[in-house]
């Protein structure tokens, strides 16, 4: 009788907001303020024209829905990546505002070309020659611990994923492919 030890690990990493994320938030806030000002002007005009009993409540509802839309769009910029290791298979999902989830990539560590730390001098050549398709699924690169993995995908060809796994995830994955997973 054989017993199998299944491996299952999850790791959630929060994506650091970049300048483009903050610019998007500011742009939405400005658009919300401009829209609100225009709606107030329209409501004021309707009061003067004698239509205030209909236009004012409707205008307030429209403003409320517009700001709720701004809130939803801004909250979608709160992104976390969930790394899920099941035996030798790695899945990475994007979790938006702790509500929505989208599957991004999957690979099997048994079938990768290479997995190494981006700062590993021995694998600088491989790192500096990326494929045409690169996914950056890191949280905050300034914290270090960024790895790259190159693999062949049926749909996209050769793919590279940048990610920040825990040392435990890398050590566990290494058991499935010691020759192609390098730990610094």
């Amino acid at each position: 009788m054989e017993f199998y030890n299944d491996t299952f690990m999850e790791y959630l990493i929060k994506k650091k907001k970049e300048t483009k994320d903050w610019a998007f938030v500011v742009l939405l806030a400005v658009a919300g303020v401009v829209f609100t000002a225009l709606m107030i002007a329209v409501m004021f005009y309707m009061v003067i024209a004698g239509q205030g009993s209909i236009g004012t409540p409707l205008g307030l509802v429209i403003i409320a829905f517009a700001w709720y839309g701004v809130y939803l769009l801004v909250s979608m910029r709160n992104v976390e990546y969930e790394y899920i290791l099941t035996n030798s298979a790695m899945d990475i999902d994007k979790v938006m505002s702790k509500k929505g989830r989208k599957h991004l990539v999957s690979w099997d560590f048994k079938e990768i070309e290479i997995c190494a730390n981006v700062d590993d001098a021995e694998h600088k050549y491989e790192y500096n020659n990326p494929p045409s398709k690169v996914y950056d699924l890191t949280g905050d690169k300034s914290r270090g611990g960024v790895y790259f993995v190159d693999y062949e995908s049926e749909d996209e060809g050769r793919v590279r994923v940048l990610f920040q796994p825990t040392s435990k995830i890398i050590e566990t994955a290494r058991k499935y492919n010691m020759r192609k997973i390098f730990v610094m």
Side-chain angles (χ1 to χ4, degrees), residues 62-88:
I62 291 171
I63 289 171
F65 275 113
W67 279 104
Y68 182 67
V70 167
Y71 164 75
L72 288 177
L73 289 172
V74 167
S75 67
M76 294 303 277
R77 290 292 199 196
N78 295 328
V79 172
E80 295 173 315
Y81 295 115
E82 184 175 33
Y83 304 151
I84 304 164
L85 180 67
T86 308
N87 296 326
S88 65

Side-chain angles (χ1 to χ4, degrees), residues 26-46:
V26 169
L27 183 67
L28 272 177
V30 168
V33 169
V34 168
F35 180 77
T36 301
L38 289 172
M39 284 303 299
I40 289 173
V42 167
M43 289 186 308
F44 184 69
Y45 175 76
M46 291 182 89

Side-chain angles (χ1 to χ4, degrees), residues 117-119 138 140-147 163-166 170:
N117 192 296
V118 297
D119 296 325
T138 57
D140 181 4
K141 287 182 183 165
S142 66
R143 292 178 42 208
V146 177
Y147 281 77
F163 67 121
Q164 286 179 292
T166 63
I170 288 294

